[in-house]
Amino acid sequence: MKIVVLGAGAVGLTVAAKLSRVADVHAVARKRHVDAVRERGFLMTGIWGEGIYRFSCSEDLPDVWRDADYYIITAKSTDTESLCRQFADAIRGHEVASLQNGIGNEEIIERFTDRVIGAMIITGFEWRGDASVHVSVEAAPMKLGRFPSGTDDAVESLADLIRAAGIRAEATPEIRADIWSKTLYNCALNPLGAIANVPYGALTDPHAWAIVTAIVREAWQVVEAEGVTLPWKTPGAYLEYLRTEQLPATAAHHSSMLQDLALGRKTEIDFMNGAVAALARKHGIDAPYNACIAELIRFRERL
C-alpha cells in the first residue's frame, strides 16, 4: 500500500511515522523537517508511543509517488486550495482524505477529485523541535467516511490500515456530522484558549464557560440550518459531554491557534468560528459570539 501525506506538519508527520510501519509512506513537508527526517529520523514521544521513525520525505512529490493508493492532506486549512492546485495532476481521480480542522476543506478538495474521504481527529500534537512531535492527548478515535456521507471498501481499507498502525480509528457513514462535532469542540476551545493563553482545562472557569456556552449555542443553530444531525439532541447535551468527557481528556492541551499566533502564522479561524459566522449570515442567524471571537483572532494575527 502506498500512502502520500501532503502538507505534513505535526499531525501529518506523526501519522506518516505510524503508517510507515505498515505501508510504504512518503511525506511532503517543509525543508527543515525533511532534513531532520533524513539525518536522524522522525522523533515521536507521548501517548502514541516513543521512537525514531524513518520514511521517505521531501519538499515535493517525486514521480514514483504520483500514483499512490491514498493521499492524505494534513495541511492547515488555509493551505488546502494551494496544495490541491500544486498537486492537482497527482490527486485527480485518486482517493484523497482530509485530516484537517474546520469546515470547508472537503468541499475544496472535491473540485480536484471525485474520491474524497472526510476524516476527524481529536488528538493533541505538540512540536518539540524539527521533525520531533509529542502526542499529548486523545479525546476520541479517528473517524473516516466517504464525504459527505456513506462508506465503502476504500474507506474501510484505510481505516483498517490506520488501526494496524496502532491508531484508534473507525469508519463511519456520517462523516459530515463527525466533522461538525469536532468543529463545535474547536470553536468552543481553540480561539478562547489562544486569546487567554491557557490550556483547555482552564476554560471551565465560569466566566470562560459562559463564552463557550454562547459559542456552542450559536453554532448549534447553524448546524441545524445546514441539515446536519449531531449525536446529541440539544446544545446543552453537547456542552455536558464537552465538560465531562472531552475537556478532561484534553485539559492539559494548548490550542493549536495559540501555537500559530506565537509563531506569527495565519490561523484557521476562517474555517472554524469564522465559517460559523459566515454560514449564520447566510441562514439569517445571529452569531455575535462567533463573529466577535473570529475578529479578535484576526486582530491578534495582525499584531
Side-chain angles (χ1 to χ4, degrees):
M1 188 77 75
K2 291 174 69 175
I3 310 290
V4 169
V5 181
L6 298 174
V11 177
L13 287 170
T14 308
V15 170
K18 295 289 284 185
L19 286 172
S20 69
R21 298 290 172 90
V22 296
D24 294 326
V25 173
H26 180 82
V28 176
R30 296 183 186 277
K31 184 179 186 301
R32 66 180 185 276
H33 301 306
V34 171
D35 291 344
V37 170
R38 289 175 175 173
E39 289 171 11
R40 47 90 169 141
F42 174 77
L43 307 181
M44 183 192 305
T45 58
I47 61 174
W48 277 10
E50 305 196 359
I52 300 174
Y53 296 77
R54 297 186 179 276
F55 49 88
S56 178
C57 190
S58 68
E59 293 179 80
D60 207 333
L61 185 62
D63 289 342
V64 69
W65 289 97
R66 287 182 176 267
D67 193 27
D69 296 289
Y70 295 94
Y71 293 87
I72 303 175
I73 295 178
T74 62
K76 292 285 187 181
S77 300
T78 51
D79 296 327
T80 302
E81 180 151 1
S82 62
L83 196 68
C84 285
R85 290 188 183 280
Q86 182 180 356
F87 299 109
D89 291 344
I91 67 176
R92 186 177 296 114
H94 284 84
E95 297 287 353
V96 180
S98 167
L99 193 59
Q100 300 170 273
N101 278 333
I103 298 299
N105 291 295
E106 289 79 8
E107 289 85 351
I108 293 172
I109 298 168
E110 279 182 326
R111 306 207 309 264
F112 297 86
T113 180
D114 60 352
R115 304 294 298 166
V116 181
I117 297 173
M120 182 280 290
I121 184 170
I122 305 184
T123 304
F125 301 88
E126 299 178 5
W127 288 114
R128 294 295 165 87
D130 292 342
S132 179
V133 174
H134 180 75
V135 185
S136 56
V137 293
E138 184 177 70
M142 185 188 302
K143 300 287 184 71
L144 302 107
R146 180 62 63 195
F147 189 82
S149 64
T151 187
D152 51 35
D153 289 345
V155 172
E156 297 284 354
S157 293
L158 183 56
D160 287 343
L161 188 69
I162 291 170
R163 282 195 295 270
I167 300 171
R168 293 196 300 155
E170 302 172 358
T172 173
E174 300 296 339
I175 191 61
R176 194 162 176 243
D178 287 300
I179 292 169
W180 263 109
S181 295
K182 184 189 177 183
T183 300
L184 279 184
Y185 168 88
N186 269 326
C187 287
L189 306 181
N190 211 327
L192 187 55
I195 290 169
N197 192 11
V198 295
Y200 285 168
L203 300 180
T204 56
D205 174 272
H207 299 292
W209 195 251
I211 299 171
V212 168
T213 298
I215 287 170
V216 168
R217 291 190 183 280
E218 290 175 0
W220 192 276
Q221 293 181 67
V222 171
V223 172
E224 289 183 329
E226 284 287 293
V228 177
T229 301
L230 298 178
W232 309 274
K233 291 186 176 180
T234 65
Y238 171 70
L239 283 161
E240 181 64 12
Y241 175 75
L242 175 64
R243 186 182 64 82
T244 61
E245 299 290 337
Q246 289 181 308
L247 255 178
T250 58
H253 182 62
H254 283 86
S255 161
S256 60
M257 207 168 282
L258 174 62
Q259 298 173 53
D260 287 338
L261 291 173
L263 294 170
R265 295 191 303 226
K266 187 172 176 59
T267 73
E268 296 176 299
I269 193 66
D270 289 338
F271 291 80
M272 297 180 191
N273 305 75
V276 168
L279 287 169
R281 289 192 296 271
K282 169 187 165 185
H283 292 292
I285 297 168
D286 288 331
Y289 278 83
N290 281 276
C292 179
I293 205 158
E295 294 292 3
L296 285 170
I297 291 294
R298 292 175 188 130
F299 170 60
R300 284 290 308 276
E301 286 177 341
R302 296 179 62 158
L303 293 179

